[in-house]
Amino acid sequence: MRYVIIPGINGSDEDHWQSIWQAEWGACASRISPLSWDEPDLDDWCQAIDKAVGESPPTDLVLVAHSLGCLAATCWVTRRRPDIRGVFLVAPPDNAGANFPAAASTFTAVKVTPLHVPGLVISSEDDPYCSPDVALRLTADWQLDHVSVGSAGHINSAGRLGSWDFGRALLTAFTAGTRRA
């Protein structure tokens, strides 16, 4: 199994669960490296996903995205139509919401359409970047499964989640359910 880590705007700091998981996974994980962390450009992020995916067998690849990274991941999947193992999307933002970062204007054009890959959307009841209703609409439009983790804010390092064991258990259960024959 290989994982591609797709953080949100400015990347994920060392206390973020994505960084902790990546360190644990070692060579089984890679992280995108767009040139536009601070002023995100959607095409640049999709190219960074291309580079991180590399020559991996797609059937053993899971995209692990957080926040703005969820929009980049879903756009990349829609453009490339890869035969990947799945997408694990945590705290996707509402790109039409009042709190959506102005610096990420190219991400406002992301169309929410069925992804045609297995996926799980994880949301929080008190995420300042996405209401529960919008999270459910995104999940339905992507035709993915959904889990709410209750009140966990934006599910990032500000919430002091550490290694976020519950999220790790969700990812483990999700990947077990997507095993290829």
mmCIF file of all heavy atoms in Angstrom, residues 51-100:
data_model
loop_
_atom_site.group_PDB
_atom_site.id
_atom_site.type_symbol
_atom_site.label_atom_id
_atom_site.label_comp_id
_atom_site.label_asym_id
_atom_site.label_seq_id
_atom_site.Cartn_x
_atom_site.Cartn_y
_atom_site.Cartn_z
ATOM 1 N N LYS A 51 3.282 14.180 -9.842
ATOM 2 C CA LYS A 51 4.669 13.880 -9.506
ATOM 3 C C LYS A 51 4.752 12.954 -8.292
ATOM 4 O O LYS A 51 5.546 12.013 -8.281
ATOM 5 C CB LYS A 51 5.430 15.172 -9.240
ATOM 6 C CG LYS A 51 6.889 14.975 -9.006
ATOM 7 C CD LYS A 51 7.619 16.295 -8.871
ATOM 8 C CE LYS A 51 9.105 16.040 -8.648
ATOM 9 N NZ LYS A 51 9.843 17.281 -8.478
ATOM 10 N N ALA A 52 3.927 13.198 -7.265
ATOM 11 C CA ALA A 52 3.962 12.360 -6.062
ATOM 12 C C ALA A 52 3.474 10.946 -6.349
ATOM 13 O O ALA A 52 3.982 9.979 -5.773
ATOM 14 C CB ALA A 52 3.124 12.995 -4.952
ATOM 15 N N VAL A 53 2.499 10.824 -7.233
ATOM 16 C CA VAL A 53 1.983 9.503 -7.591
ATOM 17 C C VAL A 53 3.049 8.731 -8.357
ATOM 18 O O VAL A 53 3.263 7.544 -8.124
ATOM 19 C CB VAL A 53 0.674 9.621 -8.410
ATOM 20 C CG1 VAL A 53 0.299 8.299 -9.053
ATOM 21 C CG2 VAL A 53 -0.456 10.139 -7.530
ATOM 22 N N GLY A 54 3.748 9.422 -9.251
ATOM 23 C CA GLY A 54 4.848 8.815 -9.990
ATOM 24 C C GLY A 54 4.437 7.577 -10.739
ATOM 25 O O GLY A 54 3.368 7.504 -11.323
ATOM 26 N N GLU A 55 5.257 6.573 -10.653
ATOM 27 C CA GLU A 55 5.043 5.328 -11.383
ATOM 28 C C GLU A 55 4.440 4.228 -10.514
ATOM 29 O O GLU A 55 4.521 3.063 -10.845
ATOM 30 C CB GLU A 55 6.376 4.853 -11.976
ATOM 31 C CG GLU A 55 6.999 5.821 -12.958
ATOM 32 C CD GLU A 55 6.118 6.061 -14.174
ATOM 33 O OE1 GLU A 55 5.536 5.097 -14.700
ATOM 34 O OE2 GLU A 55 6.014 7.229 -14.587
ATOM 35 N N SER A 56 3.869 4.594 -9.384
ATOM 36 C CA SER A 56 3.292 3.596 -8.474
ATOM 37 C C SER A 56 2.180 2.814 -9.146
ATOM 38 O O SER A 56 1.425 3.368 -9.933
ATOM 39 C CB SER A 56 2.691 4.284 -7.256
ATOM 40 O OG SER A 56 3.664 4.994 -6.571
ATOM 41 N N PRO A 57 2.050 1.536 -8.800
ATOM 42 C CA PRO A 57 0.870 0.805 -9.265
ATOM 43 C C PRO A 57 -0.367 1.480 -8.675
ATOM 44 O O PRO A 57 -0.489 1.572 -7.450
ATOM 45 C CB PRO A 57 1.058 -0.598 -8.701
ATOM 46 C CG PRO A 57 2.495 -0.684 -8.300
ATOM 47 C CD PRO A 57 2.945 0.708 -8.016
ATOM 48 N N PRO A 58 -1.259 2.008 -9.489
ATOM 49 C CA PRO A 58 -2.385 2.778 -8.962
ATOM 50 C C PRO A 58 -3.324 1.972 -8.081
ATOM 51 O O PRO A 58 -3.950 2.524 -7.185
ATOM 52 C CB PRO A 58 -3.093 3.291 -10.212
ATOM 53 C CG PRO A 58 -2.660 2.395 -11.310
ATOM 54 C CD PRO A 58 -1.284 1.907 -10.937
ATOM 55 N N THR A 59 -3.403 0.677 -8.302
ATOM 56 C CA THR A 59 -4.349 -0.114 -7.515
ATOM 57 C C THR A 59 -3.944 -0.227 -6.050
ATOM 58 O O THR A 59 -4.745 -0.647 -5.228
ATOM 59 C CB THR A 59 -4.519 -1.519 -8.115
ATOM 60 O OG1 THR A 59 -3.241 -2.137 -8.210
ATOM 61 C CG2 THR A 59 -5.175 -1.441 -9.478
ATOM 62 N N ASP A 60 -2.726 0.131 -5.718
ATOM 63 C CA ASP A 60 -2.254 0.098 -4.334
ATOM 64 C C ASP A 60 -2.051 1.491 -3.759
ATOM 65 O O ASP A 60 -1.332 1.668 -2.789
ATOM 66 C CB ASP A 60 -0.937 -0.670 -4.238
ATOM 67 C CG ASP A 60 -1.134 -2.159 -4.425
ATOM 68 O OD1 ASP A 60 -2.224 -2.659 -4.080
ATOM 69 O OD2 ASP A 60 -0.212 -2.817 -4.914
ATOM 70 N N LEU A 61 -2.684 2.509 -4.360
ATOM 71 C CA LEU A 61 -2.449 3.893 -3.982
ATOM 72 C C LEU A 61 -3.694 4.527 -3.373
ATOM 73 O O LEU A 61 -4.790 4.422 -3.936
ATOM 74 C CB LEU A 61 -2.028 4.691 -5.232
ATOM 75 C CG LEU A 61 -1.651 6.133 -5.005
ATOM 76 C CD1 LEU A 61 -0.338 6.229 -4.245
ATOM 77 C CD2 LEU A 61 -1.529 6.840 -6.340
ATOM 78 N N VAL A 62 -3.509 5.184 -2.227
ATOM 79 C CA VAL A 62 -4.587 5.919 -1.573
ATOM 80 C C VAL A 62 -4.134 7.364 -1.416
ATOM 81 O O VAL A 62 -3.035 7.635 -0.921
ATOM 82 C CB VAL A 62 -4.938 5.329 -0.187
ATOM 83 C CG1 VAL A 62 -5.990 6.178 0.509
ATOM 84 C CG2 VAL A 62 -5.421 3.898 -0.333
ATOM 85 N N LEU A 63 -4.985 8.292 -1.838
ATOM 86 C CA LEU A 63 -4.737 9.710 -1.619
ATOM 87 C C LEU A 63 -5.299 10.069 -0.251
ATOM 88 O O LEU A 63 -6.467 9.803 0.035
ATOM 89 C CB LEU A 63 -5.417 10.558 -2.698
ATOM 90 C CG LEU A 63 -5.062 10.254 -4.154
ATOM 91 C CD1 LEU A 63 -5.808 11.204 -5.083
ATOM 92 C CD2 LEU A 63 -3.560 10.310 -4.390
ATOM 93 N N VAL A 64 -4.470 10.669 0.598
ATOM 94 C CA VAL A 64 -4.875 11.069 1.946
ATOM 95 C C VAL A 64 -4.829 12.592 1.988
ATOM 96 O O VAL A 64 -3.749 13.190 2.096
ATOM 97 C CB VAL A 64 -3.963 10.450 3.020
ATOM 98 C CG1 VAL A 64 -4.379 10.897 4.411
ATOM 99 C CG2 VAL A 64 -3.973 8.920 2.913
ATOM 100 N N ALA A 65 -5.993 13.209 1.866
ATOM 101 C CA ALA A 65 -6.065 14.661 1.701
ATOM 102 C C ALA A 65 -6.729 15.339 2.890
ATOM 103 O O ALA A 65 -7.612 14.778 3.540
ATOM 104 C CB ALA A 65 -6.836 14.984 0.425
ATOM 105 N N HIS A 66 -6.309 16.562 3.137
ATOM 106 C CA HIS A 66 -6.907 17.388 4.180
ATOM 107 C C HIS A 66 -7.233 18.769 3.612
ATOM 108 O O HIS A 66 -6.451 19.326 2.842
ATOM 109 C CB HIS A 66 -5.956 17.548 5.372
ATOM 110 C CG HIS A 66 -6.500 18.442 6.450
ATOM 111 N ND1 HIS A 66 -6.079 19.726 6.613
ATOM 112 C CD2 HIS A 66 -7.464 18.217 7.375
ATOM 113 C CE1 HIS A 66 -6.751 20.277 7.620
ATOM 114 N NE2 HIS A 66 -7.600 19.379 8.090
ATOM 115 N N SER A 67 -8.400 19.278 3.971
ATOM 116 C CA SER A 67 -8.826 20.636 3.670
ATOM 117 C C SER A 67 -8.730 20.938 2.164
ATOM 118 O O SER A 67 -9.314 20.217 1.359
ATOM 119 C CB SER A 67 -8.000 21.624 4.508
ATOM 120 O OG SER A 67 -8.525 22.914 4.427
ATOM 121 N N LEU A 68 -7.991 21.976 1.800
ATOM 122 C CA LEU A 68 -7.866 22.354 0.391
ATOM 123 C C LEU A 68 -7.319 21.196 -0.443
ATOM 124 O O LEU A 68 -7.640 21.049 -1.619
ATOM 125 C CB LEU A 68 -6.961 23.584 0.264
ATOM 126 C CG LEU A 68 -6.996 24.340 -1.045
ATOM 127 C CD1 LEU A 68 -8.380 24.900 -1.322
ATOM 128 C CD2 LEU A 68 -5.970 25.459 -1.027
ATOM 129 N N GLY A 69 -6.527 20.345 0.188
ATOM 130 C CA GLY A 69 -6.012 19.165 -0.491
ATOM 131 C C GLY A 69 -7.115 18.244 -0.980
ATOM 132 O O GLY A 69 -6.942 17.527 -1.971
ATOM 133 N N CYS A 70 -8.263 18.254 -0.300
ATOM 134 C CA CYS A 70 -9.408 17.440 -0.744
ATOM 135 C C CYS A 70 -9.894 17.919 -2.109
ATOM 136 O O CYS A 70 -10.212 17.099 -2.980
ATOM 137 C CB CYS A 70 -10.558 17.514 0.259
ATOM 138 S SG CYS A 70 -10.193 16.818 1.873
ATOM 139 N N LEU A 71 -9.950 19.226 -2.282
ATOM 140 C CA LEU A 71 -10.396 19.761 -3.580
ATOM 141 C C LEU A 71 -9.373 19.458 -4.674
ATOM 142 O O LEU A 71 -9.746 19.125 -5.801
ATOM 143 C CB LEU A 71 -10.657 21.258 -3.476
ATOM 144 C CG LEU A 71 -11.759 21.674 -2.508
ATOM 145 C CD1 LEU A 71 -11.934 23.190 -2.514
ATOM 146 C CD2 LEU A 71 -13.070 20.976 -2.818
ATOM 147 N N ALA A 72 -8.093 19.558 -4.334
ATOM 148 C CA ALA A 72 -7.053 19.216 -5.316
ATOM 149 C C ALA A 72 -7.143 17.739 -5.686
ATOM 150 O O ALA A 72 -7.074 17.375 -6.864
ATOM 151 C CB ALA A 72 -5.673 19.546 -4.764
ATOM 152 N N ALA A 73 -7.319 16.876 -4.676
ATOM 153 C CA ALA A 73 -7.396 15.433 -4.919
ATOM 154 C C ALA A 73 -8.590 15.085 -5.796
ATOM 155 O O ALA A 73 -8.460 14.301 -6.750
ATOM 156 C CB ALA A 73 -7.477 14.676 -3.598
ATOM 157 N N THR A 74 -9.749 15.657 -5.493
ATOM 158 C CA THR A 74 -10.938 15.320 -6.281
ATOM 159 C C THR A 74 -10.847 15.870 -7.693
ATOM 160 O O THR A 74 -11.286 15.210 -8.632
ATOM 161 C CB THR A 74 -12.229 15.799 -5.590
ATOM 162 O OG1 THR A 74 -12.189 17.220 -5.398
ATOM 163 C CG2 THR A 74 -12.422 15.091 -4.260
ATOM 164 N N CYS A 75 -10.253 17.033 -7.844
ATOM 165 C CA CYS A 75 -10.046 17.573 -9.197
ATOM 166 C C CYS A 75 -9.089 16.671 -9.974
ATOM 167 O O CYS A 75 -9.339 16.343 -11.139
ATOM 168 C CB CYS A 75 -9.503 18.995 -9.114
ATOM 169 S SG CYS A 75 -9.271 19.756 -10.730
ATOM 170 N N TRP A 76 -8.003 16.246 -9.327
ATOM 171 C CA TRP A 76 -7.025 15.372 -9.984
ATOM 172 C C TRP A 76 -7.682 14.059 -10.406
ATOM 173 O O TRP A 76 -7.487 13.594 -11.534
ATOM 174 C CB TRP A 76 -5.846 15.111 -9.046
ATOM 175 C CG TRP A 76 -4.770 14.266 -9.651
ATOM 176 C CD1 TRP A 76 -3.759 14.681 -10.468
ATOM 177 C CD2 TRP A 76 -4.617 12.854 -9.500
ATOM 178 N NE1 TRP A 76 -2.978 13.609 -10.825
ATOM 179 C CE2 TRP A 76 -3.486 12.479 -10.247
ATOM 180 C CE3 TRP A 76 -5.321 11.873 -8.817
ATOM 181 C CZ2 TRP A 76 -3.032 11.162 -10.318
ATOM 182 C CZ3 TRP A 76 -4.881 10.566 -8.876
ATOM 183 C CH2 TRP A 76 -3.741 10.226 -9.623
ATOM 184 N N VAL A 77 -8.473 13.472 -9.513
ATOM 185 C CA VAL A 77 -9.158 12.212 -9.842
ATOM 186 C C VAL A 77 -10.092 12.420 -11.031
ATOM 187 O O VAL A 77 -10.133 11.595 -11.949
ATOM 188 C CB VAL A 77 -9.928 11.668 -8.610
ATOM 189 C CG1 VAL A 77 -10.898 10.567 -9.010
ATOM 190 C CG2 VAL A 77 -8.955 11.164 -7.555
ATOM 191 N N THR A 78 -10.821 13.510 -11.039
ATOM 192 C CA THR A 78 -11.753 13.794 -12.135
ATOM 193 C C THR A 78 -11.013 13.983 -13.462
ATOM 194 O O THR A 78 -11.452 13.490 -14.496
ATOM 195 C CB THR A 78 -12.588 15.055 -11.814
ATOM 196 O OG1 THR A 78 -13.288 14.831 -10.596
ATOM 197 C CG2 THR A 78 -13.585 15.347 -12.904
ATOM 198 N N ARG A 79 -9.886 14.662 -13.422
ATOM 199 C CA ARG A 79 -9.106 14.906 -14.650
ATOM 200 C C ARG A 79 -8.416 13.647 -15.164
ATOM 201 O O ARG A 79 -8.350 13.406 -16.355
ATOM 202 C CB ARG A 79 -8.027 15.970 -14.386
ATOM 203 C CG ARG A 79 -8.546 17.366 -14.223
ATOM 204 C CD ARG A 79 -7.392 18.311 -13.958
ATOM 205 N NE ARG A 79 -7.831 19.678 -13.778
ATOM 206 C CZ ARG A 79 -7.009 20.691 -13.553
ATOM 207 N NH1 ARG A 79 -5.700 20.483 -13.466
ATOM 208 N NH2 ARG A 79 -7.484 21.904 -13.405
ATOM 209 N N ARG A 80 -7.854 12.852 -14.244
ATOM 210 C CA ARG A 80 -7.013 11.712 -14.638
ATOM 211 C C ARG A 80 -7.777 10.400 -14.760
ATOM 212 O O ARG A 80 -7.329 9.487 -15.418
ATOM 213 C CB ARG A 80 -5.863 11.528 -13.646
ATOM 214 C CG ARG A 80 -4.963 12.724 -13.499
ATOM 215 C CD ARG A 80 -4.199 13.047 -14.768
ATOM 216 N NE ARG A 80 -3.228 14.092 -14.542
ATOM 217 C CZ ARG A 80 -3.434 15.380 -14.771
ATOM 218 N NH1 ARG A 80 -4.597 15.802 -15.225
ATOM 219 N NH2 ARG A 80 -2.483 16.261 -14.548
ATOM 220 N N ARG A 81 -8.876 10.254 -14.051
ATOM 221 C CA ARG A 81 -9.646 8.999 -14.010
ATOM 222 C C ARG A 81 -8.748 7.802 -13.707
ATOM 223 O O ARG A 81 -8.762 6.785 -14.410
ATOM 224 C CB ARG A 81 -10.389 8.766 -15.323
ATOM 225 C CG ARG A 81 -11.364 9.834 -15.689
ATOM 226 C CD ARG A 81 -12.688 9.573 -15.015
ATOM 227 N NE ARG A 81 -13.664 10.565 -15.443
ATOM 228 C CZ ARG A 81 -14.456 11.212 -14.627
ATOM 229 N NH1 ARG A 81 -14.425 10.965 -13.348
ATOM 230 N NH2 ARG A 81 -15.302 12.104 -15.072
ATOM 231 N N PRO A 82 -7.950 7.899 -12.636
ATOM 232 C CA PRO A 82 -7.027 6.801 -12.318
ATOM 233 C C PRO A 82 -7.742 5.608 -11.697
ATOM 234 O O PRO A 82 -8.830 5.744 -11.142
ATOM 235 C CB PRO A 82 -6.093 7.447 -11.294
ATOM 236 C CG PRO A 82 -7.001 8.394 -10.567
ATOM 237 C CD PRO A 82 -7.933 8.943 -11.642
ATOM 238 N N ASP A 83 -7.093 4.471 -11.762
ATOM 239 C CA ASP A 83 -7.615 3.260 -11.138
ATOM 240 C C ASP A 83 -6.938 3.100 -9.776
ATOM 241 O O ASP A 83 -6.257 2.117 -9.517
ATOM 242 C CB ASP A 83 -7.339 2.063 -12.044
ATOM 243 C CG ASP A 83 -7.978 0.790 -11.517
ATOM 244 O OD1 ASP A 83 -8.972 0.886 -10.779
ATOM 245 O OD2 ASP A 83 -7.462 -0.291 -11.835
ATOM 246 N N ILE A 84 -7.095 4.123 -8.909
ATOM 247 C CA ILE A 84 -6.451 4.086 -7.607
ATOM 248 C C ILE A 84 -7.307 3.315 -6.611
ATOM 249 O O ILE A 84 -8.490 3.081 -6.841
ATOM 250 C CB ILE A 84 -6.156 5.503 -7.066
ATOM 251 C CG1 ILE A 84 -7.446 6.322 -6.901
ATOM 252 C CG2 ILE A 84 -5.148 6.205 -7.959
ATOM 253 C CD1 ILE A 84 -7.229 7.680 -6.265
ATOM 254 N N ARG A 85 -6.695 2.962 -5.503
ATOM 255 C CA ARG A 85 -7.392 2.214 -4.450
ATOM 256 C C ARG A 85 -8.475 3.061 -3.796
ATOM 257 O O ARG A 85 -9.517 2.557 -3.417
ATOM 258 C CB ARG A 85 -6.364 1.762 -3.422
ATOM 259 C CG ARG A 85 -6.918 0.958 -2.291
ATOM 260 C CD ARG A 85 -6.582 -0.500 -2.502
ATOM 261 N NE ARG A 85 -6.835 -1.288 -1.324
ATOM 262 C CZ ARG A 85 -5.942 -2.041 -0.727
ATOM 263 N NH1 ARG A 85 -4.712 -2.096 -1.165
ATOM 264 N NH2 ARG A 85 -6.272 -2.768 0.296
ATOM 265 N N GLY A 86 -8.207 4.375 -3.649
ATOM 266 C CA GLY A 86 -9.230 5.233 -3.074
ATOM 267 C C GLY A 86 -8.725 6.586 -2.637
ATOM 268 O O GLY A 86 -7.541 6.900 -2.746
ATOM 269 N N VAL A 87 -9.685 7.372 -2.131
ATOM 270 C CA VAL A 87 -9.394 8.706 -1.603
ATOM 271 C C VAL A 87 -9.945 8.795 -0.187
ATOM 272 O O VAL A 87 -11.054 8.351 0.097
ATOM 273 C CB VAL A 87 -9.981 9.830 -2.479
ATOM 274 C CG1 VAL A 87 -9.287 9.894 -3.825
ATOM 275 C CG2 VAL A 87 -11.479 9.687 -2.671
ATOM 276 N N PHE A 88 -9.149 9.354 0.700
ATOM 277 C CA PHE A 88 -9.513 9.567 2.096
ATOM 278 C C PHE A 88 -9.482 11.075 2.290
ATOM 279 O O PHE A 88 -8.415 11.685 2.323
ATOM 280 C CB PHE A 88 -8.490 8.858 2.995
ATOM 281 C CG PHE A 88 -8.823 8.829 4.446
ATOM 282 C CD1 PHE A 88 -9.766 7.943 4.946
ATOM 283 C CD2 PHE A 88 -8.153 9.656 5.345
ATOM 284 C CE1 PHE A 88 -10.051 7.890 6.312
ATOM 285 C CE2 PHE A 88 -8.431 9.614 6.699
ATOM 286 C CZ PHE A 88 -9.379 8.725 7.188
ATOM 287 N N LEU A 89 -10.656 11.690 2.344
ATOM 288 C CA LEU A 89 -10.791 13.140 2.308
ATOM 289 C C LEU A 89 -11.239 13.662 3.672
ATOM 290 O O LEU A 89 -12.367 13.404 4.098
ATOM 291 C CB LEU A 89 -11.800 13.541 1.233
ATOM 292 C CG LEU A 89 -11.564 12.974 -0.174
ATOM 293 C CD1 LEU A 89 -12.724 13.330 -1.094
ATOM 294 C CD2 LEU A 89 -10.234 13.461 -0.736
ATOM 295 N N VAL A 90 -10.381 14.421 4.328
ATOM 296 C CA VAL A 90 -10.653 14.897 5.679
ATOM 297 C C VAL A 90 -10.855 16.413 5.673
ATOM 298 O O VAL A 90 -9.997 17.162 5.208
ATOM 299 C CB VAL A 90 -9.501 14.527 6.629
ATOM 300 C CG1 VAL A 90 -9.760 15.046 8.036
ATOM 301 C CG2 VAL A 90 -9.284 13.012 6.644
ATOM 302 N N ALA A 91 -11.999 16.842 6.189
ATOM 303 C CA ALA A 91 -12.340 18.263 6.348
ATOM 304 C C ALA A 91 -12.305 19.039 5.031
ATOM 305 O O ALA A 91 -11.642 20.063 4.915
ATOM 306 C CB ALA A 91 -11.436 18.916 7.391
ATOM 307 N N PRO A 92 -13.041 18.564 4.014
ATOM 308 C CA PRO A 92 -13.062 19.336 2.772
ATOM 309 C C PRO A 92 -13.707 20.697 3.020
ATOM 310 O O PRO A 92 -14.696 20.786 3.755
ATOM 311 C CB PRO A 92 -13.913 18.484 1.830
ATOM 312 C CG PRO A 92 -14.773 17.662 2.727
ATOM 313 C CD PRO A 92 -13.948 17.418 3.964
ATOM 314 N N PRO A 93 -13.165 21.758 2.440
ATOM 315 C CA PRO A 93 -13.744 23.084 2.648
ATOM 316 C C PRO A 93 -14.873 23.366 1.656
ATOM 317 O O PRO A 93 -14.945 22.758 0.590
ATOM 318 C CB PRO A 93 -12.562 24.019 2.400
ATOM 319 C CG PRO A 93 -11.773 23.295 1.348
ATOM 320 C CD PRO A 93 -11.918 21.822 1.684
ATOM 321 N N ASP A 94 -15.714 24.290 2.025
ATOM 322 C CA ASP A 94 -16.772 24.778 1.147
ATOM 323 C C ASP A 94 -16.166 25.877 0.286
ATOM 324 O O ASP A 94 -15.911 26.984 0.763
ATOM 325 C CB ASP A 94 -17.919 25.324 2.002
ATOM 326 C CG ASP A 94 -19.052 25.931 1.204
ATOM 327 O OD1 ASP A 94 -18.981 25.950 -0.046
ATOM 328 O OD2 ASP A 94 -20.011 26.406 1.841
ATOM 329 N N ASN A 95 -15.897 25.569 -0.994
ATOM 330 C CA ASN A 95 -15.221 26.553 -1.841
ATOM 331 C C ASN A 95 -16.114 27.724 -2.250
ATOM 332 O O ASN A 95 -15.661 28.646 -2.917
ATOM 333 C CB ASN A 95 -14.550 25.902 -3.060
ATOM 334 C CG ASN A 95 -15.522 25.283 -4.031
ATOM 335 O OD1 ASN A 95 -16.722 25.233 -3.791
ATOM 336 N ND2 ASN A 95 -14.992 24.777 -5.130
ATOM 337 N N ALA A 96 -17.379 27.711 -1.824
ATOM 338 C CA ALA A 96 -18.265 28.857 -2.032
ATOM 339 C C ALA A 96 -18.604 29.520 -0.687
ATOM 340 O O ALA A 96 -19.406 30.448 -0.643
ATOM 341 C CB ALA A 96 -19.554 28.405 -2.716
ATOM 342 N N GLY A 97 -17.979 29.065 0.383
ATOM 343 C CA GLY A 97 -18.277 29.576 1.718
ATOM 344 C C GLY A 97 -17.560 30.873 2.033
ATOM 345 O O GLY A 97 -16.543 31.220 1.422
ATOM 346 N N ALA A 98 -18.074 31.564 3.010
ATOM 347 C CA ALA A 98 -17.525 32.866 3.412
ATOM 348 C C ALA A 98 -16.097 32.766 3.949
ATOM 349 O O ALA A 98 -15.322 33.717 3.823
ATOM 350 C CB ALA A 98 -18.431 33.494 4.471
ATOM 351 N N ASN A 99 -15.725 31.638 4.539
ATOM 352 C CA ASN A 99 -14.385 31.483 5.122
ATOM 353 C C ASN A 99 -13.363 30.867 4.166
ATOM 354 O O ASN A 99 -12.239 30.604 4.573
ATOM 355 C CB ASN A 99 -14.460 30.648 6.395
ATOM 356 C CG ASN A 99 -15.165 31.381 7.508
ATOM 357 O OD1 ASN A 99 -15.196 32.603 7.542
ATOM 358 N ND2 ASN A 99 -15.763 30.641 8.427
ATOM 359 N N PHE A 100 -13.769 30.613 2.918
ATOM 360 C CA PHE A 100 -12.825 30.019 1.968
ATOM 361 C C PHE A 100 -11.704 31.025 1.706
ATOM 362 O O PHE A 100 -11.961 32.208 1.483
ATOM 363 C CB PHE A 100 -13.533 29.657 0.657
ATOM 364 C CG PHE A 100 -12.703 28.790 -0.243
ATOM 365 C CD1 PHE A 100 -12.547 27.443 0.021
ATOM 366 C CD2 PHE A 100 -12.060 29.330 -1.345
ATOM 367 C CE1 PHE A 100 -11.771 26.637 -0.795
ATOM 368 C CE2 PHE A 100 -11.282 28.529 -2.176
ATOM 369 C CZ PHE A 100 -11.134 27.178 -1.897
#
